[in-house]
Amino acid sequence: MNRVLVKNAIIITMGKKDVIENGYVYIEDNKIKEVNNGEYTNDLNGAYVIDAKGGILMPGFVNSHTHIPMTLLRGYGEGLPLMKWLREKVWPFENKLTQGDVEIGSYLGLIEMIKSGTTAFIDMYFHEINIADVVERVKIRGFLAHTIIGEKNEEQFKYVDDMYNKFKDSKYVNVLIGPHSPYTLNKEVLKQVGDYARYRHMPIHIHLSETLDEIEIIKEKYNMTPIELCDSIGMFDGTKTIAAHCVHLYENDFEILKSKDITAVHNPQSNMKLASGIAPVTKMIDYNINVALGTDGTSSNNNLDMFDEMRSASLLQKLSNMDATALSSYNTLKMATLNGYIALGIDDKIGKIEENYKADMIIIDTNKAHMLPIHDVYSNIVFAANGNDVKTVIVDGNIIMEDYELKTIDEEYYLYEARRRVKEILNR
């Protein structure tokens, strides 16, 4: 039996107990067995002991919308609006990618994510089976959606089916379906996506209402918003939908998001960089719409650091609402952690530091000048900390990084291989 004790920690539970100032967490196998303040006094039973040394122990981040292999496109096609960027730069580059390229890009992304405290991510890409293979080796949680895009869809649905059958019993991989967007698919295919998702009891991950161009395309074609279009064909019915962006929303869109229990994923840095706009996060929260947080791909961000994303998210809402109280540090942290699991419908099992929850957690080093003093621990996490402060990462009870050292990835090899691959891709 795998046993781990983390002691001397400031514990952010994201649950009933809120903050435990000086506490410990005892883990058996993949579950939290005990959380309390003070010293652990029971028999250790051979448990591996991690001394947090006053660091912050909290649930790991959920990057709720990203495209992991796009690490290979970091900085490529800079300075263009979304549609021009996709058509002239991203899609031509991606057409050159092999399964091996996607695997290397995935390793590069997972190195970056783990080292900055992400323990789970919701992905949308192609060659997603190869990404899933990497996820299994690295032992991080991947909620992976193969992209459905374009006219030839039958092979893509078969790919999702093959992926589902391969990974349906996996501890780390969960399979989603990923219709790219209403502007790249017709409504017959979008309806087919909804039917398939219900058949497989599988969440849908889709880009929705990201830019004004998208709104205009769909309005001209259907006289509806993208969200109204998907709702009109029943795509949202009877399944969980995770809608990336939701930047440009009309009044009826808010009602649909709420009534169909859809999660909106805010990607503030990508939306700023591509000048897509500022999502109405505070208004969505006022509507009791679940809002999670994601980085989007590194080609439009350009990193996978959820600390960066939290800071941008909170500051943007304060500025856009002209209200210093908008999007509090606690609510921002909740978007980056628990709300990702609410999106997936598994927040009763994972996302909190509480007894019987899955043991997915990180330790943030507070023994640094920029982390002191701690008047408000949530504020320190959102506004002072950065990805380089994450010291230790535990997923499913397994220590996958300790004292800044990765345990499940040969970091030096994959950094070298990523450099080599990109040069090769550009010469194809």
Side-chain angles (χ1 to χ4, degrees):
M1 182 179 284
N2 183 37
R3 298 181 178 92
V4 178
L5 174 71
V6 183
K7 65 179 185 177
N8 297 326
I10 301 168
I11 302 174
I12 306 292
T13 67
M14 300 309 295
K16 299 171 192 171
K17 294 181 181 177
D18 202 16
V19 178
I20 299 172
E21 289 294 339
N22 178 33
Y24 63 84
V25 173
Y26 182 72
I27 300 164
E28 282 189 1
D29 287 336
N30 67 345
K31 285 192 178 178
I32 297 166
K33 289 296 181 184
E34 190 175 339
V35 183
N36 217 327
N37 61 352
E39 296 288 329
Y40 183 76
T41 56
N42 295 332
D43 188 345
L44 285 172
N45 290 321
Y48 185 79
V49 178
I50 298 173
D51 189 345
K53 298 179 180 177
I56 297 164
L57 180 70
M58 57 168 272
F61 296 117
V62 184
N63 187 340
S64 290
H65 175 65
T66 192
H67 314 282
I68 287 300
M70 288 187 85
T71 50
L72 300 178
L73 287 87
R74 194 191 317 263
Y76 184 76
E78 291 288 301
L80 296 173
L82 177 69
M83 296 299 183
K84 191 175 179 69
W85 174 72
L86 284 172
R87 289 169 181 154
E88 296 182 12
K89 291 293 183 178
V90 173
W91 289 339
F93 186 102
E94 289 179 331
N95 283 337
K96 298 179 180 181
L97 297 181
T98 65
Q99 294 179 23
D101 298 330
V102 165
E103 287 201 9
I104 295 302
S106 299
Y107 275 111
L108 188 62
L110 295 187
I111 289 168
E112 184 179 356
M113 284 203 302
I114 293 166
K115 294 190 83 168
S116 56
T118 292
T119 55
F121 67 105
I122 304 176
D123 194 65
M124 180 197 290
Y125 215 60
F126 54 94
H127 295 319
E128 202 74 49
I129 288 175
N130 296 85
I131 300 172
D133 287 336
V134 174
V135 164
E136 290 249 282
R137 293 176 207 133
V138 173
K139 296 180 178 169
I140 188 173
R141 292 196 197 277
F143 298 86
L144 311 179
H146 178 71
T147 306
I148 307 294
I149 190 170
E151 299 301 321
K152 296 179 181 177
N153 302 117
E154 291 310 315
E155 286 185 10
Q156 296 177 47
F157 278 96
K158 183 181 182 305
Y159 187 99
V160 177
D161 222 41
D162 291 345
M163 185 174 171
Y164 171 82
N165 287 321
K166 180 175 180 180
F167 294 102
K168 61 186 176 183
D169 298 320
S170 171
K171 286 175 64 176
Y172 300 103
V173 174
N174 292 267
V175 179
L176 284 62
I177 187 165
H180 181 270
S181 60
Y183 65 86
T184 59
L185 294 165
N186 60 43
K187 66 181 187 179
E188 288 74 24
V189 176
L190 291 170
K191 185 178 184 305
Q192 189 180 356
V193 166
D195 292 340
Y196 182 85
R198 283 183 286 276
Y199 164 64
R200 284 296 190 197
H201 305 287
M202 182 183 289
I204 295 168
H205 189 195
I206 185 171
H207 300 98
L208 276 181
S209 300
E210 182 176 0
T211 65
L212 287 172
D213 285 345
E214 176 189 343
I215 301 293
E216 288 173 12
I217 290 167
I218 301 303
K219 281 222 166 190
E220 186 176 330
K221 193 171 182 180
Y222 300 105
N223 196 31
M224 288 185 273
T225 69
I227 290 171
E228 287 172 335
L229 170 64
C230 293
D231 186 50
S232 72
I233 57 173
M235 194 188 84
F236 299 141
D237 297 339
T239 188
K240 301 290 287 184
T241 299
I242 300 157
H245 301 297
C246 295
V247 174
H248 300 284
L249 301 180
Y250 297 79
E251 208 58 41
N252 193 42
D253 292 334
F254 290 97
E255 295 293 345
I256 292 168
L257 291 173
K258 179 182 177 181
S259 66
K260 296 300 169 72
D261 195 25
I262 296 164
T263 291
V265 183
H266 185 33
N267 302 268
Q269 293 196 349
S270 173
N271 295 157
M272 284 192 286
K273 187 165 185 253
L274 295 171
S276 299
I278 303 172
V281 172
T282 54
K283 187 170 181 179
M284 287 191 276
I285 292 172
D286 288 344
Y287 265 84
N288 291 319
I289 295 163
N290 184 50
V291 184
L293 194 66
T295 61
D296 210 345
T298 54
S299 188
S300 63
N301 187 297
N302 291 22
N303 66 48
L304 298 167
D305 188 338
M306 289 289 283
F307 290 95
D308 244 15
E309 216 65 36
M310 286 192 295
R311 183 181 174 90
S312 294
S314 186
L315 292 178
L316 267 181
Q317 292 305 304
K318 294 176 191 305
L319 181 62
S320 63
N321 288 282
M322 293 302 291
D323 178 3
T325 68
L327 199 56
S328 69
S329 298
Y330 175 82
N331 283 336
T332 307
L333 183 62
K334 187 168 176 281
M335 283 168 56
T337 55
L338 185 62
N339 287 7
Y341 294 115
I342 292 173
L344 295 157
I346 55 174
D347 53 297
D348 60 335
K349 300 173 184 173
I350 186 168
K352 298 178 184 178
I353 309 292
E354 286 188 356
E355 287 84 357
N356 296 317
Y357 270 69
K358 294 286 182 71
D360 289 29
M361 59 192 72
I362 63 175
I363 299 173
I364 300 171
D365 192 348
T366 55
N367 190 31
K368 296 184 177 183
H370 67 273
M371 287 297 288
L372 296 172
I374 303 178
H375 295 299
D376 180 330
V377 68
Y378 298 116
S379 176
N380 274 47
I381 294 168
V382 172
F383 294 117
N386 63 69
N388 294 322
D389 297 326
V390 176
K391 186 177 182 181
T392 297
V393 176
I394 298 171
V395 178
D396 207 53
N398 297 306
I399 302 165
I400 64 172
M401 185 173 83
E402 186 176 12
D403 289 330
Y404 304 101
E405 182 184 348
L406 294 170
K407 301 292 187 183
T408 58
I409 306 177
D410 184 342
E411 182 176 1
E412 187 177 345
Y413 170 77
Y414 287 107
L415 296 184
Y416 165 81
E417 188 62 13
R419 293 188 194 98
R420 187 191 71 77
R421 287 273 178 158
V422 170
K423 287 179 183 176
E424 184 185 304
I425 293 163
L426 292 172
N427 288 325
R428 284 177 192 161

